[in-house]
Amino acid sequence: VLFRSVEQPESKKVQKKPQKKLYRNHVAQILLLVFVAIVTAFSVMGYGISRYKRDYYASATRSCNVMVADLVKHGEDFPNENMLAYYIPYSMNSTAASVGTYLYLFNTDGQCILCSANTGQEADGLTLSVEMLHAMKEKGTYLTDRSSGKFNRSIGEPMLCNGSAFTIQQDGREQTYYLFANTYTHALNNYVTDFILVTVLVSLAVLAIAIAMEMHIILQRAKQREQIIQVLQLNARGDYTKKLQPEQWVGSEMEPLVTVLDSLVRQAERAESYSKQFVSNVSHELRTPMTIISGFVEGILDGTVPRNKRMEYLSIVSQEMQRLKMLVTSMLNLTKFDAGTIQINYQMFTMNDTAFRTVLMFENRLEKRHISVEGLDAPPLRVYADPDLMGQVVYNLVENAVKFVNESGTISFRFESSDHDWIFAVRNTGNGISKEELPRIFERFYKSDASRSQDKTGLGLGLDITKQIIHLHHAQISVRSEEHVYTEFEVRLPQIKPPHSEQESEETPRLQPPTQ
């Protein structure tokens, strides 16, 4: 009860933090979507309005430009006519009535000369502002939609003001005038209002659809994540009855994540299975030699074992002690390998003697199965390496050979020296290893199909440890096998020149190989 009362709130806090963070991420995505929609809407609206405004202004000034061109042409055709008396007032009134604009004619001093009839204004007293007059003299044109461009101040609605300068023949001489037009912008204002309204409505509709789709995707992702989390929580508790099943996620954006997670879960499941098997096998491997040692020692102590058999039994006890020592050493080295703390103690030693001592540890098993041993009487192969670690390599390879050699078969040793390497090899006759399984035999806990039937208690660690020791020595190990014929492991140690003192050290006496 105490455990539950303490742990449950903590788990809820742990769950709430990712959920809050996820919620904030979703809100941020939606806000970003809204921001992008607003920016897009304003950009489209601004472009549309400016484009229409430009076209509208061009259309509004076109009528004045046409009138100016007509006046200039008429002045050229009739240079002696007084155009102010009839033609110019007539053109201004007709154009103003047809186009729906107010026209004003100014001289170069900025004084108004004529107004179209629809203005209802008198020309006297109307003048151009300094800004207008300056623009006309500098550019010959003027255009504005500000209130300063209106000549009739009583009109409150917005108006477009445009002016054009032109020169005509008047009474036989050239005269320059400024024609100004004030035009209502009802169409432009209505268009802008309608365009803004439509843009806003369309943007809101698109934004609503986008948010709905985003929320659907977010909810779908949340559902998928919840599904993944539930399966992973079961797997984390050791329950592998439910799997993520990547084939069901094909085509979704979760597919890569689910594939990786499923691979990790399956590796964890295999590792747990291997771990359980490893603990079981270690228990058995430790129990067997300890039972033999305990039984023989008790038999010797209580007098059950005859005196003439005691040395033989003590020899068996010694072999089992060595076997137990190698097993414990393997497990300790495995821990050191994983921690990266193992160190190499290089020394000169004879590989043949190491192999001979290892074979003696399996003497009883070899005799019971009538196994022949060959190659131990080869010329001595002196190597420079760590004798303890290489002793473990030899033990693992010999133990592997003893396990899988066929009844009345042969275990052969090979000791050679090439230009750059010291070569040590162990071969055993027997079923061999299939080509499919050869690439995996150095994996930790891996046991081939054949070895599972022949070796019920092996740990599946020997070749993995062997490979790591070989790599520490910058050496190479390879395996060759032919099914139902043989299996051979070959180790190539790089020839390293030992210090001068070790080169001159005396050779240790050669051990005599056992006779089979």
Side-chain angles (χ1 to χ4, degrees):
V1 175
L2 179 60
F3 175 80
R4 288 180 180 175
S5 64
V6 173
E7 286 295 315
Q8 274 189 325
E10 290 295 327
S11 62
K12 288 181 179 179
K13 289 179 182 178
V14 172
Q15 290 178 358
K16 283 181 180 179
K17 287 182 179 179
Q19 288 178 354
K20 288 182 178 179
K21 185 176 181 181
L22 193 62
Y23 175 76
R24 287 196 297 267
N25 291 338
H26 294 333
V27 171
Q29 290 179 6
I30 294 175
L31 290 177
L32 178 62
L33 185 63
V34 171
F35 174 76
V36 171
I38 292 175
V39 171
T40 304
F42 273 97
S43 300
V44 172
M45 187 167 58
Y47 174 77
I49 292 174
S50 63
R51 181 67 181 268
Y52 183 81
K53 188 175 182 180
R54 186 169 62 250
D55 294 341
Y56 183 85
Y57 284 180
S59 176
T61 57
R62 191 177 296 115
S63 59
C64 291
N65 294 336
V66 171
M67 179 181 170
V68 166
D70 178 68
L71 293 177
V72 172
K73 179 69 170 56
H74 189 83
E76 292 175 352
D77 293 339
F78 304 97
N80 296 319
E81 180 182 346
N82 183 6
M83 296 177 63
L84 291 175
Y86 173 76
Y87 193 79
I88 291 179
Y90 171 77
S91 296
M92 289 177 60
N93 290 329
S94 60
T95 301
S98 61
V99 177
T101 186
Y102 303 116
L103 296 176
Y104 302 87
L105 185 68
F106 295 87
N107 60 21
T108 54
D109 295 329
Q111 300 296 323
C112 184
I113 302 173
L114 291 172
C115 298
S116 60
N118 62 348
T119 63
Q121 294 178 272
E122 297 293 335
D124 293 341
L126 288 178
T127 59
L128 293 176
S129 65
V130 176
E131 176 192 359
M132 292 178 175
L133 189 60
H134 178 74
M136 295 303 296
K137 289 183 177 181
E138 290 292 327
K139 302 177 181 178
T141 59
Y142 182 80
L143 183 67
T144 184
D145 56 0
R146 294 178 298 177
S147 59
S148 59
K150 291 190 293 185
F151 295 108
N152 188 348
R153 301 297 180 180
S154 63
I155 299 176
E157 297 181 39
M159 300 188 77
L160 176 66
C161 176
N162 65 287
S164 298
F166 65 95
T167 302
I168 60 174
Q169 295 291 332
Q170 179 70 15
D171 294 333
R173 54 197 179 114
E174 291 186 347
Q175 292 288 337
T176 299
Y177 297 98
Y178 304 143
L179 181 64
F180 276 79
N182 278 172
T183 308
Y184 285 110
T185 56
H186 298 302
L188 176 62
N189 298 335
N190 293 336
Y191 173 83
V192 170
T193 302
D194 294 343
F195 190 84
I196 291 174
L197 180 61
V198 171
T199 303
V200 170
L201 291 177
V202 171
S203 299
L204 289 175
V206 172
L207 182 61
I209 295 172
I211 291 177
M213 293 177 63
E214 181 69 16
M215 289 301 298
H216 174 72
I217 294 173
I218 289 173
L219 292 175
Q220 188 177 21
R221 287 177 183 171
K223 185 177 179 181
Q224 291 174 343
R225 277 192 292 265
E226 184 66 24
Q227 183 180 349
I228 293 173
I229 290 172
Q230 288 178 358
V231 174
L232 291 179
Q233 285 176 341
L234 288 175
N235 298 157
R237 291 196 292 266
D239 182 358
Y240 298 100
T241 54
K242 288 188 178 181
K243 298 289 195 315
L244 290 176
Q245 299 177 349
E247 62 274 6
Q248 296 183 0
W249 300 79
V250 175
S252 70
E253 61 181 25
M254 291 289 188
E255 180 184 359
L257 176 63
V258 170
T259 302
V260 174
L261 290 176
D262 182 69
S263 176
L264 292 175
V265 168
R266 292 184 185 277
Q267 290 180 17
E269 183 181 11
R270 285 196 297 269
E272 184 173 343
S273 175
Y274 290 151
S275 177
K276 292 178 180 178
Q277 181 184 355
F278 172 71
V279 172
S280 176
N281 291 347
V282 166
S283 301
H284 188 280
E285 287 283 313
L286 291 173
R287 188 184 302 114
T288 301
M290 291 176 66
T291 301
I292 294 174
I293 292 169
S294 177
F296 285 178
V297 170
E298 288 178 2
I300 293 173
L301 291 175
D302 62 17
T304 305
V305 177
R307 287 184 176 274
N308 58 342
K309 291 286 186 178
R310 288 182 180 178
M311 291 304 297
E312 179 184 349
Y313 283 11
L314 286 174
S315 177
I316 296 174
V317 169
S318 176
Q319 292 174 13
E320 293 300 325
M321 287 292 294
Q322 289 297 323
R323 179 183 170 191
L324 192 60
K325 176 185 175 183
M326 292 304 298
L327 179 62
V328 174
T329 302
S330 295
M331 290 186 290
L332 290 176
N333 283 342
L334 185 63
T335 303
K336 291 180 180 179
F337 284 131
D338 291 339
T341 58
I342 198 163
Q343 295 181 347
I344 301 179
N345 180 25
Y346 280 97
Q347 296 179 28
M348 285 296 299
F349 66 96
T350 304
M351 185 67 79
N352 310 56
D353 293 345
T354 302
F356 173 72
R357 284 191 293 267
T358 304
V359 170
L360 287 179
M361 298 169 63
F362 298 93
E363 185 175 7
N364 291 331
R365 296 167 65 178
L366 295 173
E367 289 179 353
K368 288 179 181 179
R369 298 178 60 199
H370 310 288
I371 307 300
S372 301
V373 179
E374 299 177 351
L376 288 177
D377 55 351
L381 179 67
R382 295 273 291 172
V383 301
Y384 188 61
D386 189 312
D388 294 330
L389 293 178
M390 289 309 300
Q392 190 169 354
V393 169
V394 174
Y395 177 87
N396 291 339
L397 295 181
V398 172
E399 182 187 37
N400 194 72
V402 172
K403 284 180 180 179
F404 304 116
V405 66
N406 57 314
E407 191 77 21
S408 301
T410 303
I411 296 177
S412 305
F413 292 86
R414 180 160 52 91
F415 305 90
E416 297 177 357
S417 178
S418 67
D419 293 338
H420 304 287
D421 301 310
W422 292 305
I423 303 170
F424 165 70
V426 181
R427 173 191 287 236
N428 66 275
T429 58
N431 290 330
I433 306 171
S434 66
K435 292 181 180 180
E436 293 77 15
E437 293 176 322
L438 272 178
R440 297 194 60 192
I441 61 172
F442 289 103
E443 294 180 10
R444 183 175 297 184
F445 300 123
Y446 179 75
K447 297 176 73 174
S448 66
D449 292 338
S451 67
R452 292 180 191 277
S453 59
Q454 293 177 255
D455 178 25
K456 301 292 186 181
T457 61
L459 305 180
L461 293 176
L463 293 179
D464 174 57
I465 294 174
T466 297
K467 179 188 68 175
Q468 297 197 56
I469 293 175
I470 293 301
H471 285 175
L472 278 176
H473 285 79
H474 304 287
Q476 295 178 348
I477 184 168
S478 59
V479 57
R480 292 182 290 272
S481 183
E482 184 177 344
E483 290 190 77
H484 309 297
V485 181
Y486 77 94
T487 299
E488 181 181 55
F489 288 88
E490 181 183 87
V491 176
R492 286 180 171 266
L493 284 165
Q495 291 194 15
I496 302 175
K497 189 174 182 180
H500 187 69
S501 59
E502 294 198 23
Q503 290 186 45
E504 295 180 349
S505 62
E506 294 186 1
E507 183 82 25
T508 55
R510 284 294 315 281
L511 299 174
Q512 295 301 317
T515 57
Q516 298 294 328

